[in-house]
């Protein structure tokens, strides 16, 4: 397989002459996400909070998740068929493969949510141990006022509670490592769903773990190499994301393409 530098160069080469359309696709996707934020804002202002929050949850599942799938796989189509119209392909993938896209991304979302909850739970449990052993008291009485700036100040006036939060954060960072290891096991899932329309969701899930074996760190370092671009996006108030997102996803598509060729070759050789 290529080096991460070569994958970034391949991504730049594939996007040459297509940056404008790629940025438009990113803008469409970010707009879809920001509509959800707008709904959250309306829920905060409205008296019908329950209804709006329910609508927002449904919107996330039935719109954002399939749109995320289309965003990921559209660049795989682009590198394989250079003449692909990225914008049209994005909407085509959203509609034509909607059911499988929804189920696959929903499974990923559930797994990531469960891992996050488990990580936070374990972190709180581990952080409580030294406080219990040392008999250090802390109070949660001010948490009911968390919605106000005053309440936040009151909470962190308690040194013990602040220390407790720091310890939780430390243990959460430790639990983040195994969580990321598992997430990277299944991160090829959308590509496999796209490439294998006859393969079931469960089989695609397991195939992702087989294909990425021994390559997780390579992919993680590839993703990590884009951290500078995402920091730049913060400085540009998110505007640079319009180009950073397709840049990273195209590099990932090239990574998967090479990995698939390598896997297919190994399967062919094992049959001989």
């Amino acid at each position: 397989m290529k080096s991460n530098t070569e994958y970034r160069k391949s991504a730049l080469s594939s996007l040459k002459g297509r940056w404008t359309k790629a940025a438009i696709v990113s803008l469409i996707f970010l707009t879809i996400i920001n509509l959800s934020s707008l709904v959250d804002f309306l829920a905060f202002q409205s008296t019908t909070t329950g209804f709006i929050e329910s609508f927002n949850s449904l919107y996330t599942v039935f719109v954002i998740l399939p749109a995320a799938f289309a965003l990921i796989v559209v660049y795989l189509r682009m590198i394989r068929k250079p003449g692909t119209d990225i914008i049209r392909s994005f909407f085509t993938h959203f509609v034509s493969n909607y059911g499988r896209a929804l189920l696959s991304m929903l499974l990923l979302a559930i797994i990531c949510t469960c891992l996050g909850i488990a990580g936070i739970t374990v972190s709180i449990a581990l952080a409580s141990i030294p406080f219990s052993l040392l008999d250090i008291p802390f109070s949660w009485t001010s948490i009911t006022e968390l919605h106000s700036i005053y309440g936040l100040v009151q909470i962190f006036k308690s040194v013990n509670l602040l220390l407790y939060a720091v310890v939780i954060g430390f243990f959460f960072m430790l639990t983040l490592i195994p969580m990321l290891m598992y997430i990277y096991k299944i991160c090829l899932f959308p590509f496999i769903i796209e490439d294998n329309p006859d393969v079931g969701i469960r089989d695609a899930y397991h195939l992702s773990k087989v294909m990425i074996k021994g390559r997780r760190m390579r992919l993680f370092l590839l993703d990590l190499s884009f951290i500078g671009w995402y920091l730049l996006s913060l400085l540009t108030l998110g505007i640079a994301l319009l180009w950073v997102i397709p840049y990273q996803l195209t590099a990932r598509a090239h990574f998967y393409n090479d990995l698939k060729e390598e896997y297919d070759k190994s399967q062919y050789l094992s049959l001989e």
Side-chain angles (χ1 to χ4, degrees):
M1 294 185 71
K2 302 172 187 174
S3 67
N4 289 342
T5 301
E6 289 174 314
Y7 281 122
R8 290 195 299 272
K9 287 181 179 179
S10 296
L12 291 173
S13 177
S14 297
L15 286 165
K16 188 176 181 180
R18 300 182 178 87
W19 282 108
T20 301
K21 288 190 174 182
I24 291 173
V25 169
S26 298
L27 180 61
I28 293 170
F29 179 70
L30 292 174
T31 301
I32 291 172
I33 291 179
N34 285 327
L35 284 175
S36 176
S37 301
L38 177 61
V39 171
D40 281 334
F41 175 76
L42 293 175
F44 182 76
Q45 299 291 328
S46 174
T47 56
T48 57
T49 304
F51 171 77
I52 295 178
E53 287 182 348
S54 298
F55 172 81
N56 199 27
S57 298
L58 293 174
Y59 176 80
T60 300
V61 171
F62 292 103
V63 179
I64 293 180
L65 292 183
F69 177 90
L71 182 72
I72 292 170
V73 301
V74 71
Y75 294 104
L76 182 64
R77 173 70 64 91
M78 183 193 72
I79 66 173
R80 290 177 176 174
K81 297 181 179 180
T84 299
D85 185 326
I86 306 173
I87 300 174
R88 180 179 296 177
S89 184
F90 173 77
F91 287 108
T92 300
H93 277 89
F94 180 82
V95 175
S96 64
N97 210 11
Y98 182 82
R100 282 167 61 80
L102 174 61
L103 291 176
S104 60
M105 295 304 289
L106 183 59
L107 177 60
L108 283 179
I110 291 172
I111 290 172
C112 291
T113 301
C114 290
L115 287 173
I117 293 172
I120 293 172
T121 303
V122 171
S123 301
I124 292 174
L126 291 174
S128 301
I129 295 174
F131 277 79
S132 299
L133 293 176
L134 297 174
D135 196 26
I136 301 176
F138 56 88
S139 172
W140 298 93
T141 53
S142 297
I143 288 208
T144 55
E145 301 295 330
L146 188 58
H147 62 274
S148 67
I149 297 297
Y150 171 77
L152 192 62
V153 171
Q154 289 299 105
I155 287 174
F156 288 106
K157 274 185 176 179
S158 168
V159 177
N160 290 344
L161 187 57
L162 178 60
L163 179 62
Y164 188 63
V166 171
V167 175
I168 289 176
F170 171 75
F171 281 114
F172 183 74
M173 292 303 294
L174 293 182
T175 60
L176 195 61
I177 297 173
M179 284 194 292
L180 282 174
M181 288 177 63
Y182 191 83
I183 289 171
Y184 270 84
K185 260 188 179 183
I186 58 176
C187 63
L188 300 180
F189 195 34
F191 292 123
I192 295 171
I193 290 291
E194 169 67 12
D195 260 349
N196 303 275
D198 297 327
V199 173
I201 301 293
R202 183 178 178 182
D203 291 334
Y205 172 78
H206 289 294
L207 183 56
S208 175
K209 293 194 285 188
V210 172
M211 288 180 65
I212 199 66
K213 188 176 181 180
R215 305 290 188 183
R216 281 181 293 176
M217 183 56 69
R218 286 285 305 276
L219 181 56
F220 174 74
L221 292 176
L222 176 62
D223 287 338
L224 194 63
S225 68
F226 288 92
I227 189 70
W229 291 106
Y230 282 102
L231 291 176
L232 177 63
S233 298
L234 292 177
L235 297 176
T236 60
L237 302 179
I239 295 174
L241 282 175
L242 299 180
W243 294 272
V244 175
I245 291 173
Y247 184 20
Q248 181 188 10
L249 291 180
T250 304
R252 265 194 165 217
H254 277 287
F255 181 93
Y256 166 76
N257 215 32
D258 286 355
L259 190 64
K260 182 179 184 300
E261 289 178 6
E262 187 180 87
Y263 176 77
D264 290 343
K265 184 178 180 181
S266 68
Q267 291 297 102
Y268 174 77
L269 291 175
S270 66
L271 294 174
E272 289 188 335

